[in-house]
Amino acid sequence: MFSNKSREPREYQNRGLDALAEPPEVGHELFVGLSALRDTLSSRHHSRDFAFAHARYLRSRVLAVGLIFALLSPLWIVVDTLVLPVELLRYTLLGRVLLMLGLVGVLVLAYLSRERIRRIRFSAGMLLALPAAFYLLVLMILPPEQLVNLVGYGFIPFLLVATLSVFPFTLLESLGAGLAMLGLLAFAQLTDGSWLTGQGMESLWLLATLLVVSLAANHFQLSLLLRLYRQATHDPLTGLFNRGALEVHLSKVQAWQRETEGQGSFGNVPCSLLMLDLDHFKRINDSYGHSVGDRVLCQFADLLIRQTRRHDCVSRYGGEEFVVILVGSGEARAMEVAERIRYAVEKSEFTDHDGKIIAVTTSIGVTRLLQDEPPQQALKRADEALYRAKREGRNQVMVANDPLSGE
């Protein structure tokens, strides 16, 4: 398998992108050996596309758990009314109201943040922080001798640690939240005098055990989410984006173009599309067999990755057709890149299983990607340019008609 996070050639660096917002990034998630732990430990190695998928999944959990918390919180007012003295009830009642308003705010924020990754992650953190802050506030306000009258409050750290297993948090995120809950429980024990007693040690041990279980659940849940994401969006042979994921990514690139319009000294960031086709690929399959044909496709995919940058997107469009999104490249620059790829393919040594060299060439169609056009329209122009290159002799680069000229 090959990674979409390719090495960036020095001659292809575009300094105009440095002053702009980071474009959508293409990634390749790995699930074998230590990489599975690496991918669940933190989000550092997650691609930007997976970050969007992860955020949507996290948002659904925030909405469900937040609604449960918001409904259960006012119901506990009845218990407080039955067991707490009147002079203490006003403090817990105020805290409950503030907690409920905070939870409603979290629900609204999560509901409105469909594609806002940071807001979704913030709402998930606040969903856990608000009940913990409420419990801490009660511990600080009530006199120590009155803490024995609280019913169910000591369960809050355990509930929140158990809730961690519902969310696809990374291990570091869950560990940080779990350690905070252990600190909250320790503070509660210091306040009510149960610190280092048999009962207190038992509670700490139970909470630590729940945290370990939640961390394991986070690891397996996030690993499964990564695996499903890859199976749904990547071509199993080459490891590149598949056609469906390409079209989604095209829409994200166009959205990013609109967001960065007017930023930096270059204004709107130009983007281009390359559509590539291996010449006479059927002849390779017929002469050497389909297993060698698959080997050539993988070698070709690896070459494309090495010729593009981290923020570019290389995808398998279907059969022996591939598409490259060049972020930050106008039509002239895209032609240079396409010609470099064409030359690299022509000079590369593609081999069969016995190491025998196979002559391979590629035809390429080039077009600009407009920020407001349907992605299929840009793909259609690139495809037309590609077939013009094939009709006129193959192993060449053709540029599509200017989409703004109407020709």
Side-chain angles (χ1 to χ4, degrees):
M1 291 296 185
F2 303 101
S3 169
N4 269 348
K5 288 187 176 179
S6 59
R7 294 180 292 276
E8 181 173 356
R10 292 181 182 270
E11 68 273 17
Y12 192 35
Q13 292 176 349
N14 191 328
R15 296 185 180 181
L17 292 176
D18 294 342
L20 304 176
E22 184 179 0
E25 179 182 329
V26 181
H28 185 148
E29 324 304 339
L30 302 175
F31 313 100
V32 181
L34 293 178
S35 62
L37 180 60
R38 181 202 68 181
D39 288 336
T40 60
L41 184 64
S42 71
S43 59
R44 179 181 177 183
H45 298 285
H46 296 169
S47 69
R48 194 161 181 80
D49 284 278
F50 176 74
F52 278 100
H54 183 214
R56 287 192 291 269
Y57 188 84
L58 182 61
R59 175 177 173 268
S60 67
R61 296 298 187 270
V62 170
L63 292 174
V65 176
L67 182 61
I68 294 173
F69 281 5
L71 292 175
L72 292 181
S73 182
L75 294 178
W76 207 257
I77 295 177
V78 178
V79 179
D80 288 343
T81 304
L82 295 176
V83 301
L84 290 180
V86 176
E87 61 273 16
L88 300 181
L89 184 59
R90 57 179 180 175
Y91 296 110
T92 59
L93 181 60
L94 176 62
R96 289 285 178 186
V97 172
L98 294 177
L99 173 61
M100 189 166 55
L101 292 176
L103 292 173
V104 171
V106 166
L107 287 171
V108 172
L109 178 64
Y111 181 78
L112 297 177
S113 303
R114 294 182 180 274
E115 296 292 337
R116 302 284 185 174
I117 297 176
R118 292 182 179 178
R119 290 185 183 179
I120 293 172
R121 296 174 73 88
F122 176 77
S123 63
M126 290 302 296
L127 185 61
L128 300 174
L130 286 172
F134 165 68
Y135 184 37
L136 181 62
L137 180 65
V138 171
L139 292 174
M140 295 175 65
I141 291 178
L142 295 185
E145 62 273 9
Q146 294 291 344
L147 294 178
V148 295
N149 294 320
L150 295 176
V151 175
Y153 283 67
F155 182 66
I156 290 178
F158 298 88
L159 173 63
L160 296 180
V161 168
T163 303
L164 288 174
S165 62
V166 178
F167 295 98
F169 289 136
T170 65
L171 296 182
L172 288 180
E173 290 170 340
S174 288
L175 181 61
L179 292 177
M181 294 305 112
L182 284 169
L184 178 61
L185 180 60
F187 179 78
Q189 292 181 357
L190 288 171
T191 304
D192 63 20
S194 62
W195 176 250
L196 296 183
T197 64
Q199 182 181 0
M201 294 298 292
E202 181 182 8
S203 297
L204 286 171
W205 175 255
L206 177 59
L207 188 60
T209 303
L210 282 176
L211 177 58
V212 172
V213 173
S214 293
L215 290 173
N218 290 147
H219 170 72
F220 293 124
Q221 186 175 186
L222 189 53
S223 293
L224 178 60
L225 187 60
L226 281 160
R227 188 180 296 274
L228 292 175
Y229 163 79
R230 174 160 179 75
Q231 290 176 349
T233 60
H234 287 67
D235 171 51
L237 176 64
T238 62
L240 302 177
F241 263 6
N242 59 27
R243 183 168 178 169
L246 165 71
E247 294 177 1
V248 172
H249 192 75
L250 269 173
S251 299
K252 291 178 181 177
V253 170
Q254 291 175 305
W256 173 74
Q257 282 183 288
R258 292 189 289 270
E259 290 175 4
T260 56
E261 187 172 7
Q263 296 184 30
S265 58
F266 289 87
N268 182 40
V269 181
C271 295
S272 299
L273 282 182
L274 308 182
M275 183 168 285
L276 310 94
D277 182 272
L278 290 176
D279 298 329
H280 302 297
F281 183 71
K282 184 178 183 300
R283 185 182 302 169
I284 296 175
N285 279 333
D286 292 342
S287 302
Y288 298 93
H290 288 279
S291 64
V292 174
D294 289 347
R295 179 184 175 89
V296 169
L297 289 174
C298 291
Q299 292 173 339
F300 182 67
D302 188 40
L303 184 147
L304 292 179
I305 290 168
R306 287 186 280 106
Q307 292 291 332
T308 52
R309 305 164 301 167
R310 180 168 58 94
H311 291 308
D312 296 330
C313 173
V314 183
S315 64
R316 186 181 181 189
Y317 195 63
E320 65 272 23
E321 286 189 335
F322 294 76
V323 171
V324 178
I325 306 173
L326 298 176
V327 179
S329 297
E331 191 174 275
R333 186 60 177 161
M335 287 290 291
E336 294 178 13
V337 176
E339 178 58 32
R340 190 178 71 233
I341 292 174
R342 186 206 64 77
Y343 180 79
V345 172
E346 185 180 30
K347 296 301 180 181
S348 294
E349 295 185 350
F350 293 83
T351 59
D352 62 11
H353 298 304
D354 298 323
K356 182 180 179 180
I357 296 177
I358 303 172
V360 177
T361 60
T362 182
S363 301
I364 307 175
V366 180
T367 189
R368 295 165 56 190
L369 175 64
L370 304 182
Q371 64 182 34
D372 295 318
E373 67 176 333
Q376 284 294 340
Q377 187 171 327
L379 291 168
K380 182 174 182 292
R381 282 199 311 275
D383 188 56
E384 290 171 350
L386 165 64
Y387 276 92
R388 208 163 66 243
K390 295 179 77 68
R391 285 195 305 268
E392 297 186 15
R394 294 184 172 85
N395 191 24
Q396 57 184 299
V397 177
M398 285 286 179
V399 62
N401 295 325
D402 189 344
L404 297 179
S405 67
E407 298 178 4

